[in-house]
Structure formats: structure tokens, C-alpha cells
């Protein structure tokens, strides 16, 4: 059974609705969408320039001209995907923002396309330098997006000065990825809310201020 | 370069030092060690009964008689490995126990054999029912081992009544597995201590008592 293909995925859009300035962008979208779709369907090892070109309705030279090859294409596709999946909250309450961010991660992990892409990238791609680069780009993109949530809370005095923003972000997502990729346990809204609440409680207690982790524990004894 | 093989891995122990009652146990150890070594060297997809038998110095029927086949062998090897890697602390201080447990996970993930096994099992094994079963057994075994750390703290009044033990255990390990398997970021003692301190702070705040996660957040506002 094939998933209904979006118009960008049909690869006809750039011809049918060409207008100045829009065609290049649409070709890019079609190729990146095709890359994700191929990755999801065939896995990391089955991805080829030919497969992507055929699915996107473009020629091989179009891809080589713009992306240089499979590596450049993958990096762009993963970065664009990572940015597009983000749903960055700003409710004025850092606890609620972190909860909504965890729910957004949950949607990414459980979505039919996005979840399959995450599995393809992180679950079975091995350890090549390119995969390491893709993981790094994915992380950098996600941190850049959600960083303002934590930065704002520190500026407003809702979280302690010196809070390690990247560690906060890591701890919100970790239990969800761990459940899915390592334990193979179900992802639930409750699991997302818990991951956010655990991280928020620790952040309020100053555990994410470097050098305070051990003190935080000691002070409680 | 080959790793120096332990005596059990040479597969000669059961013949050279046979004594009543000990030979079966030594054969079992040799075969399970060989299974782990093959898994580490050849990956999940490259594991065969022939490879294990040759490495352990036993015949195929020996393996089939005891384990029924590759699936049974893998389940036993993973359970034995999961149990053997555990270093369960009891310092009388739950914060310190969780920190030592996190350090024990760190050693498992960074050990040359144990880390490679974790990668083979959780990083690139795909999603077959057998892999799901292996992951489940690994989790069950680990939880059973470390559960007393949290149970004791609740009994002693150091953690709130109703604390969800499995969630506490999940949150200690999650950031470490996430760093290694998803982000490909370095595992450090600081990362282990932080994961434990975050979990401990949240546990003290009652976040792991079901139904309290949202309240915990709300109470702090």
C-alpha cells in the first residue's frame, strides 16, 4: 500500500506551476521530501540518488549540481526535517513550555513518516562518519530551535542563572527516544509529560547549573 | 587486531578442567561468552549457530539441545549479560546509590565488549519480534536488579510513597543511552552524575508519584 503522495512528491509541481523565483524552491522541497520518503521506505542503506531523482521527478544532474551527492543531500534533508518538525512553545511558563516541547517530540517520534525517519537515522544507520554528521546536525538544529524556551526562563528569573541549556533539552527528549529506540516501550502522552516534569523539577532545583549537581544532592540529605 | 580471548571463550575449559557438576556450567558460560563475542564482532545480522559453536569449541547439537536454536541462545546470552554487568550499590543514601548506578551504566556503555554489545543490540538490530523480546528481557533483568535501590529509599522514607520505581530507573539510564545511541555524543562521568542528580531531585520532589507530575509543576509556579 502506498501512502498518498503530496504534490511536491509527485515532482510535477515545478513544471505545472512554475513562476519566477518559485521553481527552485519547489524543486528543492520535492527533492528533500523524496529523500525523506526514500529513507523511510528503503532505510538508510537503500537510499540512492537514482531513487530520489525518480521519486522527485528530477534528473540526477539536478541533484548533483545542488547537493554534490548523497551526503550533501542527506545533510540538507535531515536539517530541514529537524527544523520543520519543531513546534516551539512560548506560554510564558517554562514548565508548560517544556511539557509542550516533550509533546512535540512525542508527535515526531510517533508520526508515520517522522517516526520512521528517526528509526532509519538513529535506530539502524550504524556509525559511519556521515551518520555521525547527520546526528550532529539534527541535534544542532533542534537545540537552536528550542534553546529560547530555556533562555527566556533564565532571563525572567524562572530558572537559575547558569542553567546548562543543552543539558535541559537533552533530558526532556532522552526518556522518549530511550523508550522508543532502546526499550521498545510505548510512547504515551504521560511519558512525555513525565520527562518534562522531571527535567523542570531538576532545573528549578539548580541541578543543571554546572558544579551544582552534587551540591543539589548533598543539600537534600 | 584481535582482542585477547578469555579462557571461557577459547572453548577448551570444559574439556581441560572437567569435574563433576562443573562441566555443564562451563560449557554454558563458554557458549554464552562466544555468543556475545560473535555478536560484537559480526553484528546481529552476522550471528550464526556455526559461528558460536566454532568459537566456543562445542558442536551444533550441544547448542540446539540446550537452547533450541539461535533465538533461545540470544535470549539467554542477553539476560546473562544484563545481569552480570550490574553493579548494584547500597550506600544507605539513595542519591549516591543512583549516582553509582549511573556510573555502572556508563561503564557498561563504554566497555569495549559491553558497549559493542549494546550497540549491536540497540543500535542496529532493527525491529524484529526477537529483537523486541531481547530488549524486553534486557530491561526486565536490569529493573529487577536495581529496583531494591529505590524500594529501600521509599521504605526508609527517603523517597515519597508511591514513587514509580521503573520510571526512576528509566530516567537514570535514558540520558546516557540517548547520548551514545542517538546523539553520538561522548559519555562522561559528569553526564552520568547529572542524569542521576536530575532523577534524584525529581524523585525527592514527588514527580515520580503517578498523578503528581502535573501537580509538581503547578505547585512550583
Amino acid at each position: 500500500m502506498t501512502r498518498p503522495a503530496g504534490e511536491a512528491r509527485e515532482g510535477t509541481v515545478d513544471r505545472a506551476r512554475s513562476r519566477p523565483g518559485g521553481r527552485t524552491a519547489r524543486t528543492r522541497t520535492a527533492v528533500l521530501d523524496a529523500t525523506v520518503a526514500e529513507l523511510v521506505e528503503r532505510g538508510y542503506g537503500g537510499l540512492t540518488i537514482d531513487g530520489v531523482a525518480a521519486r522527485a521527478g528530477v534528473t540526477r544532474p539536478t541533484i548533483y549540481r545542488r547537493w554534490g551527492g548523497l551526503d550533501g543531500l542527506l545533510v540538507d534533508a535531515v536539517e530541514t526535517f529537524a527544523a520543520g518538525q519543531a513546534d516551539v512553545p512560548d506560554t510564558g511558563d517554562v514548565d508548560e513550555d517544556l511539557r509542550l516541547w516533550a509533546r512535540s517530540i512525542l508527535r515526531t517520534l510517533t508520526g508515520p513518516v517522522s517516526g520512521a525517519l528517526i528509526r532509519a537515522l538513529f535506530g539502524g544507520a550504524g556509525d559511519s562518519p556521515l551518520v555521525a554528521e547527520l546526528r550532529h546536525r539534527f541535534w544542532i538544529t533542534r537545540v537552536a530551535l528550542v534553546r529560547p524556551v530555556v533562555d527566556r526562563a533564565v532571563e525572567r528569573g524562572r530558572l537559575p542563572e547558569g542553567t546548562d541549556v543543552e543539558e535541559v533539552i537533552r533530558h526532556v527528549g532522552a526518556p522518549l527516544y530511550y523508550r522508543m529506540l532502546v526499550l521498545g516501550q510505548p510512547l504515551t502522552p504521560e511519558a512525555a509529560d513525565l520527562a518534562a516534569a522531571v527535567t523542570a523539577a531538576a532545573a528549578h532545583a539548580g541541578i543543571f547549573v554546572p558544579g551544582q549537581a552534587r551540591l543539589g544532592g548533598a543539600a537534600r540529605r
Side-chain angles (χ1 to χ4, degrees), chain A residues 125-215:
Chain A
D127 280 315
S128 74
L130 174 59
V131 170
E133 176 68 16
L134 293 175
R135 291 173 176 196
H136 178 65
R137 298 292 186 105
F138 186 85
W139 171 245
I140 294 291
T141 306
R142 300 288 272 188
V143 165
L145 279 164
V146 73
R147 174 181 281 281
V149 165
V150 185
D151 283 342
R152 274 196 306 262
V154 173
E155 281 159 25
R156 293 168 188 168
R158 306 295 304 271
L159 288 180
E161 278 289 334
T163 294
D164 184 328
V165 178
E166 295 200 9
E167 285 291 7
V168 171
I169 296 168
R170 255 186 217 104
H171 279 74
V172 172
L176 303 176
Y177 281 86
Y178 182 58
R179 270 181 175 273
M180 181 170 103
L181 295 176
V182 179
L183 304 178
Q185 290 170 348
L187 287 171
T188 60
E190 290 72 28
D193 292 357
L194 179 62
V198 166
T199 307
H204 287 294
I207 303 292
F208 289 105
V209 179
Q212 298 301 300
R214 300 294 299 283
L215 292 176

Side-chain angles (χ1 to χ4, degrees), chain A residues 38-107:
Chain A
E38 288 283 301
L39 202 52
V40 165
E41 270 182 29
R42 302 181 200 286
Y44 182 79
L47 190 73
T48 63
I49 294 280
D50 282 335
V52 172
R55 186 183 280 259
V58 302
T59 62
R60 289 168 51 93
T62 300
I63 294 180
Y64 280 105
R65 233 183 352 254
R66 181 167 193 129
W67 287 279
L70 206 50
D71 291 13
L73 179 60
L74 263 168
V75 167
D76 194 10
V78 165
E79 278 187 341
T80 304
F81 171 83
Q85 287 289 316
D87 199 2
V88 184
D90 184 9
T91 64
D93 173 348
V94 65
D95 292 45
E96 181 65 5
D97 282 355
L98 292 180
R99 194 180 72 81
L100 293 176
W101 172 250
R103 291 290 188 108
S104 166
I105 296 171
L106 182 76
R107 281 194 297 279

